[in-house]
């Protein structure tokens, strides 16, 4: 080890055009995956940043992990396609092995937070989403006023007809009319119930496949029998029949998140999440059912602190952590394409606010405007972005919509339209740069 | 030929037994089950809406990695008149819990399940499993 240390060469490794990580080139070239790092705040933080030698070790491990994930990528991708490709409500997919650059950022954060980093497998555990799979569900056709009227007339809340006042608020929610905060708070839970059939139409096939894969996995790995499934009421009769007749692929899920913003609709309904939870025997951790926090399961002070998966930015996706057949950890994200397109550039405001600066010069004017915002104004801006999420989401469900306008007092450069424009131009530029780009080392010390 | 003395082999040292719960906690679990049975009988209708409900107690047994233990009934969002009976353990220091489904079905199915002789053991074992999973989750 001491010999290695004395010969250690730290180099910049360009993972993408204009983006590099520091790597211990000596260790990397030797193919040595041994790593054991201990964080010492006094020694390791220099000028507010992690010291280069530690960063280089983290970078080396990230690069080695990338190699491992790239190797396992084709099988994992096939596994996902085998499960979801046959569904007619699925529009398309995108897949990626996690990049070394992104892993380095994550590992650095975890390391500074004091998470153990004593081996290659520790690092693998910290990364968790080695393979990312996005499953895009088709958008629903725009609802006609006749269809909407029929839905409104037939709607019952927990079996009861709505009061005149609730009907009025629901009408405002459905047609996206301006409302006071109080009206929104009162109307949104009713609106969410109203929209559930549309969400189910969009995502029920996907939820059924997840459900079946979870049960199949318990049967294959834990010896669960069909009799157990029936006795415990884990699946509906229809799904039990499918489980018996079809070639269901097992898949191990260990967490489901159903992120959404305030007054934002979820990707999966509460009923769908419950279906998944039942299939897992209640074992799958599901972070996302604020509706379950309204009864006294535990004393109030604990319930109030439990996670609700409400994202201030309006970020909206259903995601699950999985372990692929070949052992690699992956993350599934389920959403529609409208929301996905917006999510591609929505996060830049948050990233800049958090001090992440991976954006090129093209974004300089935008960056300047973001850093000028007071906390109060930034919150207002985030609210605007949340409304944009809701706009795209409603569009994908075929609901009536009005495009949100950038509030008065903000520079036009911060508008969603401008963010999209900057993102598109930047993507085009990056694609040009990538044409002749080969990941490579540049020695620095 | 090697001869084994079966009495020597079957000791706590050689076999990894599940930890036994203290009498106090077993009593708490029994009380919780009994109260829940009465509530299931009373609060789950044949059809229509009903509110979720739960019973819990504070855990004092240091073998269990958990602050509170709860039995809960959650309305089945898809099937009218049905519910999920779950056992949960709340992390000792964090607002995070682990749960296990005991049974899902209508009032009769849930009550039959709870009245089964093996039910108390299933609840005790589930609590130990959930406690272990919370401890091993490194949260």
């Amino acid at each position: 080890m001491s010999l290695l240390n004395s010969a250690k060469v730290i180099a910049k490794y360009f993972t993408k055009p204009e983006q590099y990580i520091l790597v211990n080139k000596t260790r990397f070239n030797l193919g040595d995956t041994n790593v054991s790092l201990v964080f010492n705040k006094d020694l390791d933080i220099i000028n507010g940043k992690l010291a280069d030698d530690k960063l280089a070790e983290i970078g080396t491990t990230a690069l080695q992990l990338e190699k491992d994930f790239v190797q396992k990528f084709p099988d994992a991708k096939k596994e996902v396609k085998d499960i979801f490709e046959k569904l007619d409500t699925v529009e398309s997919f995108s897949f990626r092995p996690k990049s070394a650059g992104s892993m380095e950022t994550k590992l650095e954060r975890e390391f500074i937070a004091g998470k153990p980093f004593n081996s290659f497998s520790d690092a693998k555990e910290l990364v968790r989403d080695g393979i990312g799979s996005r499953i895009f569900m088709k958008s629903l056709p725009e609802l006609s006023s006749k269809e909407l009227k029929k839905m409104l007339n037939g709607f019952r809340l927990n079996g009861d007809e709505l009061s005149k006042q609730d009907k009025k608020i629901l009408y405002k929610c459905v047609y996206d009319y301006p409302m006071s905060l109080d009206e929104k708070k009162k109307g949104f839970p009713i609106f969410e119930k109203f929209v559930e059939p549309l969400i189910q139409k969009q995502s029920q096939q996907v939820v059924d496949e997840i459900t079946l894969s979870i049960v199949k996995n318990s049967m294959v790995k834990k010896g669960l029998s069909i009799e157990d499934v029936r006795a415990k009421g884990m699946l509906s009769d229809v799904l039990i029949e499918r489980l018996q007749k079809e070639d269901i692929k097992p898949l191990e899920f260990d967490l489901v998140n159903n992120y959404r913003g305030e007054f934002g609709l979820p990707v999966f309904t509460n009923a769908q999440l419950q279906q998944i939870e039942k299939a897992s025997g209640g074992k799958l951790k599901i972070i996302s059912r604020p509706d379950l926090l309204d009864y006294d399961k535990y004393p109030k002070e604990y319930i109030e602190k439990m996670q609700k998966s409400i994202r201030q930015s309006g970020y909206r996706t259903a995601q699950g952590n999985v372990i692929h057949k070949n052992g690699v950890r992956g993350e599934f994200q389920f959403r529609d394409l409208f929301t996905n397109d917006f999510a591609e550039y929505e996060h830049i405001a948050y990233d800049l606010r958090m001090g992440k600066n991976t954006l090129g010069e093209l974004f300089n004017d935008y960056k300047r405007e973001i850093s000028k915002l007071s906390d109060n104004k930034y919150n207002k801006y985030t609210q605007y972005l949340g409304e944009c999420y809701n706009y795209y989401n409603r569009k994908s469900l075929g609901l009536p919509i009005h495009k949100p306008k950038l509030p008065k007092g903000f520079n036009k450069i911060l508008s969603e339209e401008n963010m999209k424009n900057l993102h598109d131009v930047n993507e085009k530029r990056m694609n040009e740069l990538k044409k002749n780009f080969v990941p490579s080392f540049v020695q620095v010390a | 030929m090697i001869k084994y003395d079966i009495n020597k082999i079957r000791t706590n040292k050689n076999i990894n037994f599940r930890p036994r719960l203290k009498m106090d906690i077993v009593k708490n679990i029994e009380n919780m089950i009994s109260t829940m049975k009465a509530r299931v009988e009373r609060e789950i209708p044949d059809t229509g809406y009903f509110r979720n409900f739960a019973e819990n107690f504070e855990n004092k047994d240091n073998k269990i990695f958990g602050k509170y233990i709860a039995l809960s009934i959650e309305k089945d969002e898809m099937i009218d008149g049905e519910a999920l009976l779950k056992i949960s353990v709340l992390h000792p220091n964090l607002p995070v819990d682990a749960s296990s489904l005991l049974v899902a079905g209508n009032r009769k199915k849930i009550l039959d399940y709870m009245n089964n002789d093996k039910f108390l053991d299933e609840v005790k074992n589930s609590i130990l499993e959930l406690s272990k999973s919370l401890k091993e989750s490194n949260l």
Side-chain angles (χ1 to χ4, degrees), chain A residues 402-419:
Chain A
H402 299 102
K403 188 146 196 206
K405 284 184 188 147
L406 183 72
K408 278 180 189 160
F410 286 89
N411 189 317
K412 275 183 189 162
I413 215 160
L414 294 173
S415 73
E416 187 261 331
E417 291 81 1
N418 190 53
M419 285 171 88

Side-chain angles (χ1 to χ4, degrees), chain A residues 316-362:
Chain A
R316 179 181 181 275
T317 197
Q319 61 186 54
N321 292 355
V322 298
I323 301 171
H324 286 280
K325 215 158 51 184
N326 59 14
V328 68
R329 283 188 177 274
E331 184 182 89
F332 285 8
Q333 292 188 343
F334 304 93
R335 45 171 88 148
D336 62 87
L337 273 173
F338 285 127
T339 307
N340 185 65
D341 289 349
F342 179 60
E344 290 291 330
Y345 51 90
E346 165 275 320
H347 62 91
I348 61 176
Y350 176 79
D351 287 353
L352 289 172
R353 199 74 178 176
M354 289 290 112
K356 274 197 221 172
N357 190 6
T358 53
L359 302 165
E361 283 179 13
L362 193 67

Side-chain angles (χ1 to χ4, degrees), chain A residues 232-395:
Chain A
K232 280 187 166 270
M234 292 163 80
L235 284 185
S236 66
D237 290 344
V238 177
L239 291 183
I240 289 181
E241 203 182 324
R242 281 193 57 195
L243 191 64
Q244 288 174 310
K245 283 187 181 164
E246 295 175 24
D247 176 26
I248 304 292
K249 308 282 179 211
L251 193 63
E252 189 163 343
F253 273 81
D254 73 355
L255 179 79
V256 171
N257 260 305
N258 200 28
Y259 293 121
R260 54 161 141 177
E262 203 181 9
F263 308 121
L265 294 164
V267 180
F268 295 157
T269 66
N270 292 328
Q272 290 176 322
L273 289 172
Q274 198 181 51
Q275 177 184 318
I276 295 171
E277 193 194 8
K278 266 162 81 177
S280 77
K283 301 267 183 334
L284 184 64
K285 192 81 208 144
I286 295 181
I287 304 172
S288 13
R289 292 195 50 197
D291 64 311
L292 284 186
L293 303 180
D294 69 343
Y295 72 105
D296 302 333
K297 187 169 169 185
Y298 306 114
K300 211 175 174 186
E301 67 263 33
Y302 296 99
I303 293 285
E304 278 169 356
K305 287 181 202 154
M306 293 184 102
Q307 279 177 281
K308 298 179 179 75
S309 284
I310 301 291
R311 288 283 177 267
Q312 203 197 354
S313 65
Y315 180 68
R316 179 181 181 275
T317 197
Q319 61 186 54
N321 292 355
V322 298
I323 301 171
H324 286 280
K325 215 158 51 184
N326 59 14
V328 68
R329 283 188 177 274
E331 184 182 89
F332 285 8
Q333 292 188 343
F334 304 93
R335 45 171 88 148
D336 62 87
L337 273 173
F338 285 127
T339 307
N340 185 65
D341 289 349
F342 179 60
E344 290 291 330
Y345 51 90
E346 165 275 320
H347 62 91
I348 61 176
Y350 176 79
D351 287 353
L352 289 172
R353 199 74 178 176
M354 289 290 112
K356 274 197 221 172
N357 190 6
T358 53
L359 302 165
E361 283 179 13
L362 193 67
F363 288 86
N364 277 355
D365 291 343
Y366 182 85
K367 286 183 207 173
R368 216 170 291 119
E369 280 304 315
I370 285 286
S371 59
K372 268 164 54 181
L373 297 178
S374 66
D375 285 348
N376 199 17
K377 256 194 136 177
Y378 177 71
N379 286 341
K380 206 170 171 191
Y381 181 58
T382 315
Q383 210 177 329
Y384 160 70
L385 294 179
E387 284 166 14
C388 293
Y389 258 116
N390 293 345
Y391 165 80
Y392 286 111
N393 171 220
R394 289 177 67 108
K395 197 170 169 178

Side-chain angles (χ1 to χ4, degrees), chain A residues 274 277-278 281-282 285 298, chain B residues 75-77 86 97 99 101:
Chain A
Q274 198 181 51
E277 193 194 8
K278 266 162 81 177
K285 192 81 208 144
Y298 306 114
Chain B
K75 187 182 178 315
D76 193 313
E77 301 282 341
K86 284 164 49 178
D97 69 348
S99 301
L101 174 77

Side-chain angles (χ1 to χ4, degrees), chain A residues 1 27 31-36 57 61 64 119-120:
Chain A
M1 199 65 192
R27 180 159 80 85
D32 178 6
T33 54
N34 287 324
V35 63
S36 180
E57 293 307 328
T61 301
Q64 289 166 333
S119 65
F120 187 66

